[in-house]
Amino acid sequence: MTWASIDLNADLGEGFGRWRLTDDEALLSVVTSANVACGFHAGDAATMRRVCTLAAEHRVRIGAQVSYRDLAGFGRRPMDVPPDELAAEVAYQIGALEVFARAAGTRVSYVKPHGALYNRVVHDEQQAEAVVEGVMLTGERLPLLGLPGSTLHTMAEKAGLPVVTEAFADRAYTADGTLVPRGQEGAVLTDQDAVVERSVSMARFGVVTSHCGRPVGVRARSLCVHGDTPGAVALARTVRARLEESGVRVEAFV
């Protein structure tokens, strides 16, 4: 399946106090959806408020990027969290971001897990159910952004929540369509030409070349460019320009 249009998202607000990892304002001039850190892997209250205000000014949709409680590990370390605790923490993070989104005159439009949680809910039914329960606790039917065919999407659909399929411009894929773990060589792609070529291929044809050289089907409605990738702003601008030159409309999915 291919799309006449695609959403372009990036992880934003990934700072804490005086430390800032992402160039939020520059990226918000390029992307159509912003996955905003909600305080558990990055993002303090002032950062969330600032990013929500900027996103509203740029008319960029705001998504809650929920994570395991892991500031020291940036949410990328595997953790075992009891499902009831994880559900409460997911709802807590969404609620915190919603306050600042509303203050900026907008709303939280979707939810995307981050890092280790994102990868865990591809296959783990209990953790996926907990994330879905956390979304349901907010009282809103927020779409869940995740990998095509993930357990998270299966659980979300059972609960009546919308799902949005996502692909990654700058991450390597395995032959089964999952992401190559960050600890492996070549997991993160930094060659701009390669990233741009893959982005157009996924948006137009729903296909990406895996880490082992095999073509993999990727049915994506949203394309992620990581905000902490070196040269992220220039990369995102080039990706968007090439997508539009290829006849793909870049627009938010919500």
Side-chain angles (χ1 to χ4, degrees):
M1 180 184 296
T2 57
W3 306 95
S5 66
I6 196 163
D7 173 62
L8 189 61
N9 78 72
D11 302 342
L12 301 180
E14 291 185 326
F16 201 85
R18 297 180 63 184
W19 169 66
R20 292 188 185 181
L21 180 62
T22 50
D23 189 344
D24 299 319
E25 187 162 13
L27 283 166
L28 283 166
S29 70
V30 182
V31 301
T32 49
S33 294
N35 318 314
V36 183
C38 301
F40 274 34
H41 75 280
D44 56 24
T47 299
M48 284 189 278
R49 182 182 184 185
R50 175 177 56 81
V51 175
C52 285
T53 298
L54 288 170
E57 290 173 358
H58 286 279
R59 298 186 178 181
V60 171
R61 298 295 187 270
I62 294 171
Q65 188 165 41
V66 298
S67 170
Y68 287 128
R69 188 189 292 269
D70 181 27
L71 275 175
F74 198 60
R76 287 178 175 162
R77 297 183 295 190
M79 301 183 75
D80 289 312
V81 180
D84 58 342
E85 183 177 331
L86 179 58
E89 292 188 340
V90 166
Y92 179 94
Q93 292 175 78
I94 298 169
L97 188 63
E98 177 70 4
V99 168
F100 299 116
R102 288 194 182 192
T106 183
R107 300 290 299 274
V108 170
S109 296
Y110 64 95
V111 176
K112 175 183 173 178
H114 165 81
L117 181 57
Y118 187 99
N119 292 319
R120 181 76 170 266
V121 297
V122 171
H123 300 298
D124 191 309
E125 186 171 309
Q126 282 194 332
Q127 296 285 278
E129 282 186 320
V131 172
V132 171
E133 182 184 350
V135 176
M136 298 293 287
L137 283 171
T138 70
E140 301 289 340
R141 294 183 67 256
L142 296 171
L144 272 160
L145 191 59
L147 280 185
S150 64
T151 299
L152 175 67
H153 278 181
T154 300
M155 296 297 103
E157 289 174 333
K158 285 183 179 180
L161 294 178
V163 301
V164 181
T165 52
E166 180 181 34
F168 290 83
D170 50 9
R171 290 294 308 278
Y173 279 81
T174 66
D176 65 359
T178 57
L179 301 178
V180 173
R182 280 184 174 267
Q184 294 186 23
E185 184 178 354
V188 179
L189 307 176
T190 56
D191 181 86
Q192 180 171 289
D193 291 339
V195 171
V196 170
E197 181 181 345
R198 289 158 56 88
S199 299
V200 173
S201 177
M202 287 187 283
R204 292 193 62 196
F205 309 114
V207 175
V208 67
T209 301
S210 72
H211 195 49
C212 61
R214 297 178 183 176
V216 176
V218 180
R219 299 179 294 106
R221 180 65 187 86
S222 185
L223 182 67
C224 178
V225 178
H226 280 96
D228 63 337
T229 298
V233 176
L235 183 61
R237 285 177 177 151
T238 304
V239 166
R240 177 161 186 164
R242 283 291 300 277
L243 287 170
E244 292 174 336
E245 289 168 6
S246 301
V248 179
R249 294 195 313 276
V250 179
E251 59 185 13
F253 60 83
V254 288

